[in-house]
Amino acid sequence: MLRSLVLGLGLSSAALACDGCTGTGDVEMIRRARLIQPRMQPDALPAINGPKGPLPWGQLTFAHTSDTHGWLMGHVKEENYGADWGDYVSFIRHMRYKARKLGVDFLVVDSGDLHDGAGLSDATAKLGGVNGEVSLPIFQNLDYDLLTIGNHELYVADVAYDVFENFAKFYRSRYLTSNVQIMDPKDGKFKYVGRTHKYFTTYFGVRIMAFGVLFDFTSNANNSKIIKAKDMVQQQWFLDAINTPEPVDLFLVLGHNSIRSSTSTFPVIREAIRKVRPDTPIQFFGGHSHTRDFKVYDNSSTALEPGRYCETLGWFAMSGIEAGTGKHKPAGVPNPNRPAINGTTSYLSYARRYIDWNRLSFEYHSDNVRTFDTPRGESVTDEIWDERHRLNLTNLYGCAPQTYCLSCAPQTSELSIYPLVQKALSAVIVNEERKDIPRMIFVNTGGFRFDLLKGPFTYDDSFIVAPFRNAFQYIPNVPYAAAAKLLDLLNNGAPQKRDMDRKHRSFIPRSVDACPLDGAQFNSGLVKRKTIIRRQQIVTPGYITKDDFGIDGDDTPHSSIPFFRTTNDIMAQGGFPADGSTPETVDVVFYDFIRNYVLTALAKAGENFTVADVEYYMPTTFTSNDFLPEYAKRFWSKDC
Ligand SMILES: *[C@@H]1O[C@H](CO)[C@@H](O)[C@H](O)[C@H]1NC(C)=O
Ligand SMILES: *[C@@H]1O[C@H](CO)[C@@H](O)[C@H](O)[C@H]1NC(C)=O
Ligand SMILES: *[C@@H]1O[C@H](CO)[C@@H](O)[C@H](O)[C@H]1NC(C)=O
Ligand SMILES: *[C@@H]1O[C@H](CO)[C@@H](O)[C@H](O)[C@H]1NC(C)=O
Ligand SMILES: *[C@@H]1O[C@H](CO)[C@@H](O)[C@H](O)[C@H]1NC(C)=O
């Protein structure tokens, strides 16, 4: 059948002869047959504009991911990030080959958070399985050199145990969890999920001591334990590791740990190492805050953070370590050329790049478009496609008539997701027995995690846009005068940090990973706006990154996407009198997650209600994850 497909394309059988490829003739045939379909996921879109130039390579060169959150299918509706995990697997294979040819070391590292945020990881939990049971084995097709654990591996006991039992055992000594332990049910003892540290020598002879440090996370499931950084650096194993009599040319610290925020524990680690090794280079690879960023700590210590959700591949090169036989200035490619700090006499030089996660980027940097796909990369792409269908992730609810963004427009604008959310709440959150009683529905904006993009709105998108499962509760017969003050009171109260309210939540928090600092960087989805043509080059909207080395880090130049903040909460209403008169009382409906804030705010408005007054407005199985799909089913066309 394959044969007829291929021949149907008009390729002669001579063209199928396999010369110089690594696989067999069959593999080559499959590869060619796939040319009928676009590579990536078949429904993904190709990128429009590509890299500005070749990547820098140094004595040590790194590819870095973090916060992938299950996005292994790539962003099928966004041209900038259309590559899938299979494309990435092929790309890394080419980069490993190129590194050898250039005579430099190449290491591939990940900083954690593999769960929560896309159907491929999350749908299995809704089916009664474990979040990640499909996505982690797919992830494992990438031969990472070093990885570390994220907080999203630790909220739910089953997930933490799965990581310990399967993922950690797969990567063995490459999985570093210097301060994270789990209780092994086999003997009731707390054990490190992975290894505390790893001492190794690279191919070209650089001797590295590596750690993997999670920030001081506290909302973990009770079968896990996080040792605070300040305590970890006092532990004997750590002191032994940094004082080892073996030569150490470089300390490598991976961490699910923001490189810039006040919650980062990297400075604690750096100070502890610096105390005994004032001159040894220390390189950090962070994550968690979902930003593209690069930070200089001192003249021989810098940190990279590579964004989120398979939107960015972080790239980092350094030269000047006085060890090994790797080339410091490999020929024919750009080399790292900046000291960490201007004016230092250190020999170390650095470069960083943020690569858009798409085929155009990956093929361009592989110098080899014709044979880009590797057999493993292709099989990963196929497996993702199969799993997306097996899990029904491509099932259609309806066609979004436009893109509704989280932050690209003021929240009252029709471009924003919030007017749509209000419409959907009004239409869908109706208790049949009380449908004639006016209702005011309050929800927090932090539960919306991604833009709702124009085109097919699928089961997968229901996880992408609103993954959390908050139930709808209400207080009946609240005096309208008080209810009318509620929104302002909620929005002027303390920000609703999502502390763990396990009882009402099958998975995970919302705002903890959001970067509170830099809107332009935090902002995500590609908003359909006019592309700008500059010097004959097409520039599409996307990330524009400013870091400690300036504004030249983005691999593909973009025009910026505006950023607008939103209020904590929004309100929708329904069932109000048609004549515009104000009712005496209303039903006050809200997510269970914000119940206590609502009670506090109502008390401020002079109405003392208690938990005993709160009831469920909708069945507990109909949650914040369900109302947009229901709206799409009822009100959007099925013909995209
Ligand atoms: C964790 O909490 C659950 C429920 O409260 C309890 O049954 C379990 O024994 C606890 N596990 C540990 C390791 O403390
Ligand atoms: C350091 O040097 C670079 C390259 O010469 C320059 O672009 C940058 O502005 C300098 N930074 C500072 C802080 O002086
Ligand atoms: C690096 O900075 C430290 C202080 O932060 C200083 O003591 C040292 O001399 C500097 N080294 C070089 C090579 O510039
Ligand atoms: C997918 O949908 C089909 C048809 O609606 C259903 O029979 C099947 O059980 C679903 N599979 C999963 C994994 O939800
Ligand atoms: C509400 O409760 C507060 C404190 O518990 C009390 O001071 C106040 O009098 C109560 N108001 C009403 C209207 O019952």
Side-chain angles (χ1 to χ4, degrees), residues 295-418:
K295 185 168 165 62
V296 172
Y297 289 125
D298 65 36
N299 55 28
S300 59
S301 173
T302 72
L304 185 73
E305 214 183 307
R308 58 160 199 186
Y309 297 166
C310 295
E311 290 173 345
T312 305
L313 178 61
W315 188 263
F316 174 78
M318 69 184 293
S319 291
I321 298 171
E322 294 166 60
T325 56
K327 296 219 168 68
H328 293 246
K329 290 180 189 265
V333 287
N335 303 134
N337 61 359
R338 282 185 61 167
I341 291 169
N342 288 354
T344 178
T345 55
S346 164
Y347 293 121
L348 297 169
S349 56
Y350 297 91
R352 52 68 183 112
R353 198 72 83 73
Y354 309 101
I355 303 172
D356 279 3
W357 193 279
N358 61 58
R359 282 286 296 214
L360 191 55
S361 305
F362 290 167
E363 289 179 357
Y364 173 90
H365 291 307
S366 297
D367 315 321
N368 193 353
V369 175
R370 196 178 62 83
T371 59
F372 177 83
D373 293 287
T374 63
R376 177 171 286 234
E378 291 195 329
S379 80
V380 170
T381 292
D382 291 345
E383 188 181 352
I384 292 170
W385 180 242
D386 291 346
E387 289 293 352
R388 288 174 66 207
H389 285 87
R390 195 179 64 80
L391 293 168
N392 289 339
L393 297 178
T394 54
N395 282 14
L396 179 74
Y397 293 123
C399 304
Q402 62 168 76
T403 288
Y404 304 91
C405 69
L406 290 188
S407 57
C408 76
Q411 73 186 75
T412 52
S413 155
E414 287 301 316
L415 293 175
S416 160
I417 196 171
Y418 297 108

Side-chain angles (χ1 to χ4, degrees), residues 77 394 396-400 452-458 461 636 640:
K77 276 173 267 177
T394 54
L396 179 74
Y397 293 123
C399 304
L452 197 162
L453 298 170
K454 182 177 177 169
F457 180 72
T458 62
D461 294 303
W636 285 345
C640 300

